Amino acid sequence: MWDIEEFERAAHTTVAALAAYVDESQHGLPPVTAQRPPAELARRLGIRRWIREGGMTDEDYRRFLDVYLAEGTRLHHPSYLGHQSAAPDFPAALADFVHGATNNPMAIYEMGASAATVELEILRWMLDKVGFGSAGGGVLTHGGSLANLTAMLAARARAVPEAWTDGVPGDLALLAPPSAHYSVTRAAAILGLGERAIIPLPVDRLGRIEVARLPEALEHARRAGRRPFVLVASACSTGTGLYDDLRPIGEFCAEHGIWFHVDGAHGASALLSDAHRHLLDGIETADSVIWDAHKMMRVSSLATAVLVRREADLDRAFQQEASYLFYGERSFDLIGRTVECTKAQLGLKIFLNLAWRGERGMGEYVAARYATAHRLWELARERPGFTCPYEPQSNIVCFRYGSREVDQAALRKRLMDDGTFYLTSTEVDGVRHLRATVIAPATDDKAIEALLDAIAEVGTRIAA
Ligand SMILES: *Cc1c(COP(=O)(O)O)cnc(C)c1O
């Protein structure tokens, strides 16, 4: 049994440590990241001894937590411009805590009526935002990669219902731009279609689907004896943060009987911003959409929605017998729609953020991050030595410093080693670029000016 006093003490310790951690992080005081090698860090944290001997007290825990927090990456830091992971807002953090203590794995309703109801209501809200309304259906999964797999399964079930029992015909093909997230390729392989079932769609030099060339691509595929059953578009793409032109792609898919899947893992949250919703124009023509809350809704990893325009499509994705779980007429159990069996109370963290900030507050957060990223592009473009291949549409910006000879990966590594900035890099049009994702609420114009100063300084040293 829990010693309740011990729990309360340790919980207070945790709250105090996290409050200090987030406070100094968002003021940009300590380095944004520490990259000590694992053997050294394991010693410093005393991990093996704790595993062997146990007996951690509140005081030990306090000391452990101080080192543990200092030796990671600070997502609330103004210099955090790395991978697309949210700097969580505190209501979402509280939800994780509640989940950790109560553990109502509510894939079946009877295991957690409140948790399941919250998920159902969050899904209803998201279905409305996407424009699917009450005819649509959805489920929350642990992340966008599983969500893409789930949507592909639903698409496959529509095209070839017997695939679940009989296996997959060899002619099935999936249309996707080469810029699609790698989880789409993985989904094709996991589904038994094989990576070779992916037909790369024609794209412009920034990786966006070229709508005018879709008929030719389809014709080509069909002449080669392939049966394209699903088309994937990005809203927005992971690498560049650019949105595909959803409406004409949706019209094309409807005309040719192809399932239209919109990967909105990163960018669907722009639906919440009045100034940016137009980027997703036509999303309601999709058959399926995925939407990560742990990217732009300030929720900790992971919480993703799979949304379909026709509810039954999702129930058909997983056709199998499990009579001890699935009985009765109308079920509120979501277990039939997921790869997972047991699942966390994912809806609660989305809900508590919304409950605190409202959908308007959430929209303002998205708008502000998109605006700051745009500002980064404006400032970089004006500076000597910076090359910006495109105007950003989201909070992801790609740029280079210096001539072709300046190794951008080395430049990034230097900034990371110093702990001054956390950025990523990607290829745009075959050339390596630096990539910044403006995601922490603390990242302001001052941080962005400092980033450009640091890049120019390090870049000049590397070039010399
Ligand atoms: C991040 C991302 C994914 C994968 O989502 P995870 O939650 O990291 O599994 C899929 N598609 C796009 C476009 C993404 O940006």
Side-chain angles (χ1 to χ4, degrees):
M1 296 214 294
W2 286 21
D3 174 334
I4 297 301
E5 275 176 27
E6 186 185 20
F7 163 65
E8 287 190 336
R9 260 198 315 277
H12 284 304
T13 298
T14 311
V15 171
L18 289 178
Y21 168 83
V22 173
D23 190 35
E24 56 190 31
S25 296
Q26 59 191 13
H27 285 99
L29 300 174
V32 59
T33 186
Q35 303 284 330
R36 211 180 288 278
E40 188 185 330
L41 199 46
R43 257 197 317 279
R44 203 173 258 247
L45 289 163
I47 292 175
R48 292 183 194 176
R49 182 171 63 84
W50 285 121
I51 292 173
R52 220 171 35 236
E53 297 170 16
M56 186 176 265
T57 64
D58 184 52
E59 196 44 47
D60 299 324
Y61 171 57
R62 190 191 316 269
R63 277 194 295 267
F64 171 84
L65 208 49
D66 280 347
V67 182
Y68 184 87
L69 293 174
E71 295 290 340
T73 297
R74 296 173 182 266
L75 276 72
H76 299 85
H77 198 292
S79 305
Y80 179 78
L81 297 151
H83 298 283
Q84 307 140 269
S85 295
D89 202 352
F90 75 81
L94 298 179
D96 274 336
F97 193 31
V98 171
H99 169 66
T102 58
N103 194 30
N104 274 205
M106 31 50 71
I108 51 173
Y109 190 84
E110 66 183 35
M111 276 298 286
S114 301
T117 300
V118 167
E119 173 164 342
L120 289 166
E121 289 296 319
I122 286 294
L123 288 167
R124 211 161 64 124
W125 173 76
M126 289 173 125
L127 286 165
D128 265 354
K129 290 291 151 200
V130 165
F132 289 166
S134 55
V139 70
L140 296 180
T141 70
H142 292 86
S145 302
L146 266 187
N148 272 334
L149 175 66
T150 305
M152 295 299 109
L153 261 172
R156 190 188 74 177
R158 169 96 90 69
V160 191
E162 62 280 10
W164 188 269
T165 39
D166 299 346
V168 188
D171 60 347
L172 283 189
L174 191 156
L175 303 168
S179 52
H181 190 262
Y182 77 92
S183 58
V184 172
T185 314
R186 282 192 170 185
I190 295 168
L191 285 176
L193 303 167
E195 274 190 24
R196 259 179 294 187
I198 297 189
I199 298 177
L201 287 173
V203 289
D204 66 13
R205 52 172 205 89
L206 295 170
R208 285 174 298 204
I209 295 173
E210 282 198 282
V211 179
R213 292 175 59 203
L214 285 177
E216 153 203 338
L218 180 62
E219 162 95 12
H220 186 79
R222 286 186 172 161
R223 258 207 320 265
R226 319 278 293 276
R227 184 162 35 135
F229 70 103
V230 58
L231 184 153
V232 179
S234 308
C236 51
S237 92
T238 308
T240 59
L242 293 172
Y243 285 78
D244 280 322
D245 197 356
L246 302 183
R247 186 169 296 284
I249 299 173
E251 283 164 5
F252 171 83
C253 289
E255 190 183 327
H256 293 93
I258 295 170
W259 180 290
F260 180 30
H261 175 63
V262 173
D263 183 346
H266 183 91
S269 295
L271 288 167
L272 307 179
S273 161
D274 293 340
H276 299 94
R277 192 174 305 127
H278 67 93
L279 294 165
L280 294 140
D281 178 57
I283 193 170
E284 75 285 357
T285 67
D287 294 283
S288 57
V289 171
I290 71 154
W291 179 353
D292 279 359
H294 57 277
K295 283 175 177 163
M296 292 303 290
M297 286 183 69
R298 306 192 61 196
V299 160
S300 61
S301 311
L302 301 160
T304 304
V306 184
L307 307 168
V308 294
R309 184 146 49 92
R310 294 162 301 265
E311 184 161 32
D313 279 342
L314 200 48
D315 292 317
R316 285 193 203 107
F318 300 91
Q319 285 182 355
Q320 67 183 354
E321 296 299 323
S323 56
Y324 66 99
L325 295 171
F326 314 122
Y327 55 82
E329 278 296 299
R330 179 75 174 92
S331 154
F332 300 111
D333 300 342
L334 289 164
I335 194 167
R337 298 180 176 180
T338 51
V339 175
E340 303 102 308
C341 173
T342 305
K343 146 176 137 170
Q345 300 171 59
L346 303 177
L348 187 63
K349 41 191 181 178
I350 306 175
F351 168 73
L352 285 184
N353 270 0
L354 285 166
W356 241 275
R357 311 295 177 202
E359 55 175 82
R360 179 189 296 269
M362 195 71 81
E364 285 165 1
Y365 159 76
V366 174
R369 299 305 74 205
Y370 277 36
T372 302
H374 198 269
R375 183 87 188 122
L376 169 56
W377 171 76
E378 289 161 28
L379 293 171
R381 214 166 45 132
E382 286 165 6
R383 290 202 181 207
F386 285 85
T387 314
C388 306
Y390 62 90
E391 178 177 358
Q393 287 183 309
S394 66
N395 57 328
I396 298 172
V397 195
C398 294
F399 54 91
R400 291 178 47 84
Y401 181 78
S403 66
R404 284 267 172 146
E405 282 70 55
V406 175
D407 182 346
Q408 305 294 304
L411 207 166
R412 169 185 118 86
K413 185 161 184 316
R414 199 75 69 85
L415 294 171
M416 297 274 293
D417 288 348
D418 297 349
T420 45
F421 285 95
Y422 192 134
L423 354 164
T424 56
S425 83
T426 191
E427 280 192 6
V428 181
D429 201 14
V431 180
R432 175 95 5 219
H433 282 70
L434 295 171
R435 174 174 172 276
T437 305
V438 177
I439 201 158
T443 303
D444 54 8
D445 284 13
K446 200 168 120 240
I448 276 165
E449 296 268 15
L451 169 73
L452 297 174
D453 289 344
I455 290 173
E457 195 199 314
V458 173
T460 311
R461 261 192 282 143
I462 285 180

